[in-house]
Amino acid sequence: MTTRVIQGDFYTATGPTTVELHPQALICIDDQGMIERIVEQSATDYAQVVQHAQQADRLLKAADGQVILPGFVDLHVHAPQWPNAGLALDLPLEDWLQHYTFPLEAKYCDPAFASQVYPTLVKELLNNGTTTVLFFGTIHNQDNLILAQECLKQGLRSLIGRVAMDNPDQTPEYYRDHSSQAALADTEAFIRELTDLGRGEPLAPTPVITPRFVPSCTDETLAGLGQLARHYDLPIQSHLSESKWEHQYAIERFGKHDAEVLDQFGLLTDKAVMAHATQLTAADQQLVRDRSTALAHCPISNVYFGSGIMPVKTLLHDQIKVGLGTDISGGYSPSLYDNLRQAVMSSQIRQDGVGPESAGVDDSRISMKTAFYLATVGGGRSLHLPIGEIKPGFQADLQIVQERFVEPTDDSSNRLERLLYQTHRADVKRVIVNGVIVK
Ligand code: GUN
Ligand code: FE
């Protein structure tokens, strides 16, 4: 049964370089929060559908100069790092982790701290037009559950991982799992607790197996997490060849590349979403492709820690699933709009190179349409969820955005490009998740 109809101009990506504009279409949403029908302006019953919805007080009309987009999918957020967004990004990754990030995450052993931080984070993400988030939590189950409760309360679609990190060589005494058994037992407890918390909820958060990254984990923990992922058939998230340092670390400890290590432990699956992947060789890319693993491109974070720029265009050309992530707080911004723009800018730098001594890579530049695809369709496919597209059978996860300049001579491409370059938080006027207005 139709419970809401949203009327307006909407854009939805249909492929990595193709976006469709549907002028003044009607998005009909059923009582499960799914899009059941799109009624184009040319449909014979268009006026009738509008009238019925109006009479039942179920019509939401985007105002003049507003555009409807799919809600964005953020594939990589460290929830506990929100208070440090933008801090110490001049440090190398390994020092930033030890001196800023681990000390902050350790503070979440106090649930009061989580209760203070998480409501503001969830609100900020929604206010920026993000409707689904794949989160890293901390090693503390209680605080991860506070994050889950907040997502349910505010109506953010979420997937949440309890972080596992037990390697004493790479993690501090004050913030680590004290044995592999403890890391695995707490992960399993979190899967149970999160499942209980979400039972019966339309936005029940999905538990995610989360080895922090190869350096943080012992072999036993990596192997155990691979087994848990298989046993419970769960998504996996981690960092993959994020920087030269991480890539080199795997070679020194295992004599092989990061991707091969994750694969050896059963962690490179078609339900895995691996962040960054700036350092993959052609063989690593082939492995990722063979395993149907998704990659989260975090372009702002990569400027600081990535030692390079992900070859997005090549990966998409090779049919590898790619989405977008903010990587709070390695990325300073909670906005995927900022990351869309950085994705385009970074790809241009990859193509042009950085000066006479360092040539660029031909055919690296991506368009704003491709960046839009990453933040919507790419994210949905990476998570195997019916999100990121405005079409029947998909969740009604939407944002309504105010255009800053309405230029009547714009064709649909220019209008979208203008919109995606110019939109800021204040321009995101409405956010809808699962058919419910949450902003
Ligand atoms: N590698 C391991 N942990 C982290 C983290 O918290 N942020 C980033 N960017 N990379 C990581
Ligand atoms: Fe990260």
Side-chain angles (χ1 to χ4, degrees):
M1 193 187 81
T2 305
T3 55
R4 190 183 295 285
V5 175
I6 302 182
Q7 182 179 29
D9 296 349
F10 78 77
Y11 281 96
T12 192
T14 51
T17 56
T18 48
V19 177
E20 277 178 358
L21 169 65
H22 295 246
Q24 288 304 305
L26 306 176
I27 304 168
C28 302
I29 302 169
D30 71 14
D31 54 4
Q32 303 297 305
M34 302 287 284
I35 298 171
E36 60 176 13
R37 188 180 169 206
I38 301 295
V39 184
E40 305 290 352
Q41 234 178 346
S42 55
T44 49
D45 61 345
Y46 184 91
Q48 195 188 352
V49 176
V50 172
Q51 198 188 18
H52 277 169
Q54 248 166 351
Q55 279 165 356
D57 200 19
R58 287 181 180 153
L59 184 72
L60 175 65
K61 190 170 170 12
D64 282 351
Q66 293 187 348
V67 171
I68 305 165
L69 303 176
F72 288 155
V73 182
D74 191 334
L75 288 184
H76 194 61
V77 174
H78 295 269
Q81 296 175 20
W82 174 228
N84 273 7
L87 204 60
L89 296 176
D90 53 328
L91 292 182
L93 173 63
E94 51 282 23
D95 295 341
W96 173 84
L97 285 171
Q98 297 292 342
H99 300 299
Y100 285 84
T101 303
F102 295 156
L104 173 61
E105 291 192 16
K107 288 169 77 173
Y108 290 79
C109 62
D110 174 8
F113 191 60
S115 300
Q116 199 185 320
V117 173
Y118 288 155
T120 70
L121 170 64
V122 172
K123 192 182 198 96
E124 188 71 19
L125 291 162
L126 285 169
N127 282 345
N128 277 289
T130 297
T131 51
T132 297
V133 181
L134 175 56
F135 283 112
F136 274 59
T138 68
I139 66 172
H140 304 296
N141 281 358
Q142 203 182 349
D143 107 72
N144 298 328
L145 293 171
I146 291 171
L147 173 63
Q149 267 158 348
E150 201 51 45
C151 292
L152 285 172
K153 189 168 154 196
Q154 294 194 42
L156 178 68
R157 194 180 297 285
S158 66
L159 302 91
I160 302 176
R162 182 262 179 218
V163 173
M165 44 192 285
D166 68 327
N167 181 5
D169 287 348
Q170 292 290 327
T171 56
E173 166 72 24
Y174 66 83
Y175 186 59
R176 88 164 62 112
D177 293 308
H178 285 287
S179 66
S180 182
Q181 292 86 328
L184 299 173
D186 282 6
T187 297
E188 210 163 0
F190 179 66
I191 295 168
R192 262 197 321 275
E193 289 158 4
L194 189 66
T195 308
D196 287 346
L197 180 79
R199 193 159 283 121
E201 299 278 353
L203 293 181
T206 304
V208 184
I209 299 296
T210 308
R212 181 167 205 120
F213 65 159
V214 165
S216 295
C217 296
T218 59
D219 293 16
E220 297 73 36
T221 292
L222 292 169
L225 291 173
Q227 280 161 10
L228 285 178
R230 199 169 329 113
H231 178 74
Y232 289 98
D233 189 24
L234 287 177
I236 299 168
Q237 62 181 342
S238 193
H239 301 82
L240 166 62
S241 287
E242 172 175 8
S243 66
K244 287 200 174 95
W245 171 77
E246 186 190 341
H247 193 69
Q248 207 49 44
Y249 175 92
I251 293 170
E252 277 162 28
R253 180 165 141 199
F254 292 96
K256 48 172 96 159
H257 290 183
D258 220 23
E260 297 169 293
V261 176
L262 290 164
D263 188 46
Q264 162 189 336
F265 292 111
L267 294 163
L268 215 57
T269 69
D270 76 329
K271 283 194 164 186
V273 179
M274 294 294 161
H276 309 302
T278 59
Q279 307 298 317
L280 298 187
T281 61
D284 297 336
Q285 281 176 28
Q286 186 60 45
L287 180 58
V288 167
R289 186 182 173 186
D290 289 346
R291 299 291 178 264
S292 298
T293 295
L295 300 175
H297 179 35
C298 305
I300 293 183
S301 169
N302 291 163
V303 170
Y304 302 104
F305 297 145
S307 331
I309 297 169
M310 184 198 248
V312 175
K313 196 161 179 183
T314 310
L315 297 168
L316 289 173
H317 182 263
D318 288 347
Q319 316 271 318
I320 292 172
K321 291 174 282 182
V322 188
L324 216 52
T326 54
D327 193 23
I328 292 168
S329 64
Y332 63 82
S333 172
S335 162
L336 276 178
Y337 282 98
D338 287 341
N339 278 277
L340 291 174
R341 302 187 267 257
Q342 187 64 50
V344 174
M345 290 192 283
S346 291
S347 74
Q348 180 77 58
I349 295 171
R350 186 177 165 86
Q351 175 152 324
D352 291 344
V354 292
E357 270 100 50
S358 174
V361 185
D362 281 349
D363 200 24
S364 288
R365 197 170 71 81
I366 61 166
S367 66
M368 198 41 118
K369 280 183 186 158
T370 300
F372 177 66
Y373 168 88
L374 297 178
T376 56
V377 181
R381 295 200 180 157
S382 297
L383 296 174
H384 299 274
L385 291 174
I387 55 174
E389 296 179 56
I390 303 181
K391 69 177 189 191
F394 278 67
Q395 304 284 350
D397 290 5
L398 307 165
Q399 50 180 322
I400 304 182
V401 181
Q402 183 71 48
E403 295 176 284
R404 293 195 166 210
F405 296 101
V406 179
E407 173 49 65
T409 60
D410 269 354
D411 63 14
S412 68
S413 285
N414 285 352
R415 186 178 175 201
L416 179 70
E417 203 164 44
R418 203 189 284 278
L419 182 79
L420 296 177
Y421 269 110
Q422 296 181 358
T423 296
H424 289 272
R425 183 183 191 272
D427 308 311
V428 180
K429 297 298 180 191
R430 287 233 185 254
V431 178
I432 293 141
V433 183
N434 215 47
V436 176
I437 299 173
V438 298
K439 180 193 177 185

